[in-house]
Amino acid sequence: MKICVIGSGYVGLVSGACFADLGNNVICVDKNVNKISNLKNGVIPIYEPGLEELIQRNVKQKRLKFSTNISNSIIKSDIIFICVGTPTKIKSNEANLKYIFQVVKDLKKNLNKYKIIVTKSTVPVTTGDKIQKLLTTKTNKKLFDVVSNPEFLREGEAIRDFMFPDRVVVGTNSKKANDVLKNLYSPIIKKKGRYFNTSRRAAEVIKYAANGFLATKITFINEMSNLCEKLNVDVTDVSLGIGTDERIGARFLRAGPGYGGSCFPKDTRALISTSKKFKTDLSIVKSTINSNENRYKYLLTKINEILNNNLKNKKITFLGVTFKAGTDDMRDSASLKLIPYLIKKGAKVSYYEPTGIKKDFDKKKVVYFNNIKDACKNSDLLIIHTEWNEFKQLNFNRLINKKKFKIYDLRNLYSPKKMKNKNINYFSIGR
Ligand code: NAD
Ligand code: UGA
């Protein structure tokens, strides 16, 4: 198949490289000239385990190409995947579809033969209807189908999630388009997942319902962890105790600093905006958003308590600042709320981050170290913010030379009992 992927970010690059690896001819395009020129020189713009090797291999085999020439790439292709961003509109909280509609303009000019136009970007229900309407002229009706094929990959696990999906959802009532896409996905479906054809609108709703549900599940366990802290109960026991019930499921029950990232926060907000538009009250998702947005206040109260309400000149070290391990993505990371507050209160904040320095923090005020040892030196408080493997077996007594250092583990990586035996002042979430 000849595939054009428009938007070469987390989703576009991973999808493009994986489709190429399955034997298709793929051209990944982007309007960001710099990004494409870097990709042509083998420089991958994001941190995603395994992606560089996958891209290199497929470029070498000439199955994967990069271009800024969107029109030409559309003309040459049979299937077009739209993978541009759909960020939150600041005032209304709805999904900003301007990048999608820019792409639609390019598509309209270049429908030289039948093409399947697939939205992989997360878009509110009825966006597919709008795209179809915008593309349609009196003469071109048979020249395209607009399909919704939401993407469920996670950053940091993107290639595995793409290649071994639980399900592939394809929203279309066109038999022609469905047959082509079923064939395209067949090597993946054979491995593990399930191919699910439904209506275009249902596919669009499924994507938001999945993210809304997962965000709610995380928020539920976070609130339970607050209760556990009051009762001296271990929340990880509660997660296990409920998660082993197959109706509940064990995954996404890890209590932590609140969900972040480029998707749960924006998609839950967009879902509420959609519900308003269709005059429905999604009160559970509303509550989830509210609880998650306020979670950082709970953590800050705890940090104040740990440091006896005296943050001035305290050295606080963050291990990891991205929204979770396995990614370089800072979007909606809890650290973006915690660190500025701590600085304002006079703390001296430093951090180590496996994916390197972040431009989100003022270099003069928040010091970056490229190794754990230097970052931890003389720390009063170590905050384990993400769950990278390299944070999981540290010898804190050797790392930190201050006598009375404390640890606040936001990912419950260590056993409180073992920490106590080592005489370490250790705090965690819901335990
Ligand atoms: P991203 O910001 O990493 O990448 C989007 C890319 O699109 C950018 O490189 C940008 O330059 C390019 N672009 C924007 N307008 C363009 C245009 N008119 N023509 C060509 N290129 C254009 O975004 P992302 O994280 O890959 O997310 C893309 C979409 O996929 C979003 O709707 C998101 O919600 C959804 N999604 C993301 C993930 C994820 O893990 N990041 C997972 C599933 C779904
Ligand atoms: C999430 C979904 O998991 C993907 O299925 C979806 O495709 C994607 O959003 C999207 O729509 O873009 P992602 O944001 O990459 O993927 O990361 P997750 O692993 O889901 O984590 C999201 C946030 O929840 C992180 O801050 C993470 O630390 C937190 N989380 C996750 C918890 O606090 N506890 C958990 O048990 C799981």
Side-chain angles (χ1 to χ4, degrees):
M1 285 272 121
K2 287 188 178 149
I3 295 175
C4 168
V5 174
I6 306 183
S8 302
Y10 287 89
V11 168
L13 277 181
V14 171
S15 309
C18 289
F19 279 135
D21 211 46
L22 296 170
N24 301 287
N25 284 315
V26 180
I27 181 144
C28 283
V29 299
D30 206 286
K31 63 175 186 180
N32 183 332
V33 180
N34 217 3
K35 197 177 250 189
I36 293 297
S37 118
N38 278 338
L39 280 162
K40 282 183 175 170
N41 291 320
V43 180
I44 313 301
I46 52 169
Y47 175 90
E48 185 58 53
L51 185 60
E52 192 169 345
E53 298 86 315
L54 192 70
I55 288 180
Q56 272 169 7
R57 182 165 73 236
N58 285 285
V59 166
K60 208 170 162 193
Q61 295 300 326
K62 299 198 167 34
R63 288 189 296 252
L64 181 61
K65 292 196 173 112
F66 300 101
S67 173
T68 48
N69 191 334
I70 300 181
S71 294
N72 206 17
S73 308
I74 294 171
I75 288 172
K76 282 194 217 154
S77 305
D78 309 308
I79 311 177
I80 323 290
F81 282 93
I82 305 178
C83 298
V84 298
T86 48
T88 304
K89 264 192 191 169
I90 290 169
K91 275 190 188 155
S92 63
N93 271 345
E94 65 192 306
N96 188 343
L97 297 178
K98 74 172 178 188
Y99 304 113
I100 298 275
F101 293 131
Q102 280 169 6
V103 173
V104 172
K105 274 190 192 160
D106 288 320
L107 286 166
K108 193 165 186 174
K109 286 183 270 174
N110 297 295
L111 290 173
N112 58 326
K113 57 175 182 178
Y114 174 76
K115 293 182 197 299
I116 302 176
I117 292 151
V118 189
T119 42
K120 225 180 213 320
S121 297
T122 303
V123 292
V125 61
T126 69
T127 302
D129 304 357
K130 285 180 195 140
I131 296 175
Q132 176 155 347
K133 205 167 163 197
L134 285 167
L135 286 176
T136 306
T137 63
K138 276 183 193 151
T139 51
N140 74 0
K141 264 189 193 148
K142 289 202 173 131
L143 272 186
F144 65 90
D145 275 307
V146 178
V147 176
S148 166
N149 170 219
E151 181 50 59
F152 300 102
L153 64 77
R154 288 163 299 164
E155 289 177 20
E157 313 277 346
I159 293 168
R160 195 175 47 198
D161 283 351
F162 192 93
M163 289 297 204
F164 300 91
D166 289 339
R167 79 302 203 187
V168 170
V169 174
V170 171
T172 179
N173 53 15
S174 153
K175 184 175 179 312
K176 189 173 172 185
N178 188 45
D179 286 349
V180 173
L181 287 171
K182 198 167 184 180
N183 186 41
L184 175 70
Y185 277 112
S186 63
I188 287 176
I189 297 306
K190 273 181 204 145
K191 281 189 210 155
K192 178 174 171 256
R194 179 176 170 213
Y195 183 89
F196 178 45
N197 174 221
T198 180
S199 71
R200 190 168 62 203
R201 284 187 179 191
E204 290 169 339
V205 172
I206 286 167
K207 175 63 197 177
Y208 282 95
N211 277 1
F213 189 84
L214 291 170
T216 302
K217 200 172 175 189
I218 295 165
T219 306
F220 177 84
I221 202 66
N222 284 341
E223 290 195 350
M224 287 307 295
S225 77
N226 297 349
L227 179 63
C228 288
E229 281 178 18
K230 297 267 163 56
L231 298 168
N232 202 16
V233 164
D234 187 333
V235 72
T236 56
D237 285 352
V238 176
S239 296
L240 196 69
I242 63 172
T244 37
D245 183 332
E246 280 184 16
R247 291 170 301 175
I248 296 172
R251 297 176 71 192
F252 278 64
L253 280 178
R254 280 175 284 121
Y259 62 78
S262 66
C263 293
F264 286 168
K266 96 171 159 62
D267 293 345
T268 45
R269 288 194 287 259
L271 187 53
I272 293 306
S273 160
T274 301
S275 75
K276 279 188 191 150
K277 209 165 146 193
F278 293 95
K279 299 197 173 27
T280 313
D281 187 15
L282 293 182
S283 65
I284 294 174
V285 181
K286 254 191 231 163
S287 205
T288 292
I289 296 171
N290 185 43
S291 177
N292 193 65
E293 282 182 351
N294 285 305
R295 180 128 183 94
Y296 80 100
K297 293 182 193 159
Y298 184 86
L299 302 181
L300 287 174
T301 306
K302 191 80 191 280
I303 294 173
N304 268 304
E305 273 171 30
I306 293 172
L307 291 175
N308 305 319
N309 288 313
N310 181 13
L311 298 182
K312 195 144 182 73
N313 290 325
K314 287 285 177 336
K315 188 171 175 208
I316 302 179
T317 302
F318 275 69
L319 288 186
V321 289
T322 53
F323 79 93
K324 64 167 190 176
T327 182
D328 57 353
D329 202 335
M330 286 295 291
R331 290 179 278 187
D332 266 300
S333 171
S335 70
L336 294 172
K337 282 183 175 163
L338 300 177
I339 291 179
Y341 171 91
L342 299 173
I343 294 287
K344 213 167 135 199
K345 292 288 170 189
K348 306 231 172 300
V349 179
S350 59
Y351 69 103
Y352 164 69
E353 164 53 47
T355 62
I357 190 165
K358 298 293 162 217
K359 55 180 187 306
D360 307 76
F361 304 115
D362 182 343
K363 263 200 276 188
K364 285 184 207 132
K365 290 186 181 154
V366 186
V367 186
Y368 164 75
F369 288 94
N370 66 5
N371 66 84
I372 300 180
K373 201 167 175 228
D374 290 341
C376 291
K377 210 173 180 181
N378 290 321
S379 268
D380 295 294
L381 174 65
L382 193 67
I383 296 182
I384 304 175
H385 180 264
T386 53
E387 66 281 38
W388 288 87
N389 283 340
E390 59 185 296
F391 301 160
K392 288 180 181 168
Q393 279 197 311
L394 296 172
N395 185 337
F396 296 108
N397 281 326
R398 263 208 220 146
L399 261 181
I400 309 169
N401 37 0
K402 268 217 172 130
K403 263 196 179 150
K404 283 190 174 170
F405 71 87
K406 292 170 177 175
I407 294 172
Y408 189 18
D409 178 0
L410 305 185
R411 302 288 178 167
N412 290 344
L413 299 186
Y414 291 86
S415 143
K417 206 171 155 196
K418 281 188 188 159
M419 287 288 136
K420 204 173 171 196
N421 290 343
K422 287 180 183 167
N423 254 334
I424 292 175
N425 230 325
Y426 173 82
F427 303 83
S428 55
I429 300 280
R431 305 192 291 177

